[in-house]
Amino acid sequence: MRNKFADAVYEIGSKDNRICALVADISPAGSMLKFRENYPERFINTGVAEQSMIGIAAGLALRGMRPVCYTIATFSLYRPFEMIRVDLCYQNLPVTIIGMGAGVIYSTLGGTHHSMEDISIATSLPNMTVLAPCDPIEMRLATEWCLTKSNGPVYMRLGKAGEPNLTENSNEEFEVGKIRNLVKGKEIAILSYGITLKMCFQINEILQKVGINASVYSCHTLKPFDEEKISTILSTYAKIITIEEHVPNGGLSSLVTKYAWKYKSKSKIDAFTLKDEFIHFYGSHEQLLDIHGLSPSKIVKKILE
């Protein structure tokens, strides 16, 4: 996904000289390298100075530019949080912050590189839009919106590499602020966002083998959240499953629970999240998710209980 993101920035930036890319201690590769080589006056590598990256981006936005700040999620959001809050959100500036390799994708690098709470933190900020596209197709559409249509700061959570296309046959078009149905089913609705949607498709395949056809929804926009669509989902399905690579507090499960209470929904809601703890484990991304309880087999077992 990160390579496709770089392609999108390059293609859009080739047509719009307001687009500029700021990175922090990331060696540009692929199309990001092409962007640096072809538009050096619009590319800045601040090194290990993420606070400066955000401050510079704010200044560029004030001069009419459309900056993108790109680095690993923990360093793009956590380290420069004060600057994001004051320089970007307080002034409502059109700067896009990319959290690359979000969740616990960097499994072998430990808690310093795990952004398990980023959705909660980002959605709490006034004026901040929060996006988490599920595949390269959604990411391209989201990036185009960020660079050409957004009117304020955006935090966009991305995976790393190798994510499959899941939305080619989607039942609904991508639109920022709207929950999107990807697969139609009955009785059960599976809601997720970002690269976790891949797991949702795997879960749906297992459920189909036992005669359960679930609907799958991409909640790619966590803020502003689609209250109208979630109220419809809550009144339509007897059982709702939320799955996210995020701690229990402040993520999708919290949002769904909030609206279920508001609309007095009778749906049974099961939330699958990361555990509310730092797990000291060295292994693959899938292995770490499994320890957190996020694996197709473990989730299906609980769904069928």
Side-chain angles (χ1 to χ4, degrees), residues 5 35 38 50 62 70 88 114 138 155 177-178 182 185 207 209 221 234 244 276 287 303:
F5 169 75
F35 191 96
N38 291 325
E50 292 83 0
L62 287 168
Y70 173 82
L88 303 187
H114 296 170
E138 277 196 349
Y155 173 71
K178 299 295 182 181
L182 304 183
L207 291 174
K209 293 178 181 179
T221 305
L234 287 165
E244 57 185 326
D276 190 20
Q287 288 173 325
I303 290 174

Side-chain angles (χ1 to χ4, degrees), residues 260-285:
W261 178 263
K262 178 177 179 178
Y263 290 103
K264 298 179 174 58
S265 172
K266 296 181 180 179
S267 302
K268 184 179 186 299
I269 301 172
D270 288 332
F272 298 90
T273 69
L274 297 176
K275 295 179 180 178
D276 190 20
E277 60 183 276
F278 292 106
I279 294 178
H280 297 272
F281 168 81
Y282 184 90
S284 70
H285 182 212

Side-chain angles (χ1 to χ4, degrees), residues 134-135 137-138 166-174 179-184 201 216-218 220:
C134 73
D135 68 356
I137 298 172
E138 277 196 349
L166 302 171
T167 61
E168 291 174 307
N169 300 312
S170 171
N171 296 307
E172 296 176 330
E173 297 296 321
F174 175 88
I179 295 173
R180 183 186 191 192
N181 178 258
L182 304 183
V183 178
K184 287 186 177 180
F201 274 73
V216 179
Y217 289 90
S218 172
H220 52 72

Side-chain angles (χ1 to χ4, degrees), residues 168-218:
E168 291 174 307
N169 300 312
S170 171
N171 296 307
E172 296 176 330
E173 297 296 321
F174 175 88
E175 183 180 349
V176 171
K178 299 295 182 181
I179 295 173
R180 183 186 191 192
N181 178 258
L182 304 183
V183 178
K184 287 186 177 180
K186 298 179 180 179
E187 295 185 1
I188 293 180
I190 303 174
L191 280 64
S192 189
Y193 57 87
I195 64 169
T196 312
L197 256 300
K198 175 185 175 181
M199 187 186 299
C200 297
F201 274 73
Q202 295 170 341
I203 290 167
N204 192 33
E205 289 179 5
I206 298 172
L207 291 174
Q208 286 178 346
K209 293 178 181 179
V210 295
I212 299 174
N213 294 308
S215 288
V216 179
Y217 289 90
S218 172

Side-chain angles (χ1 to χ4, degrees), residues 4-14 19-21 32 35 68 140 143 147:
K4 294 294 184 181
F5 169 75
D7 292 344
V9 172
Y10 179 78
E11 292 167 16
I12 298 169
S14 296
I19 308 302
C20 51
M32 196 63 77
F35 191 96
V68 176
R140 171 59 195 244
T143 301
L147 298 183

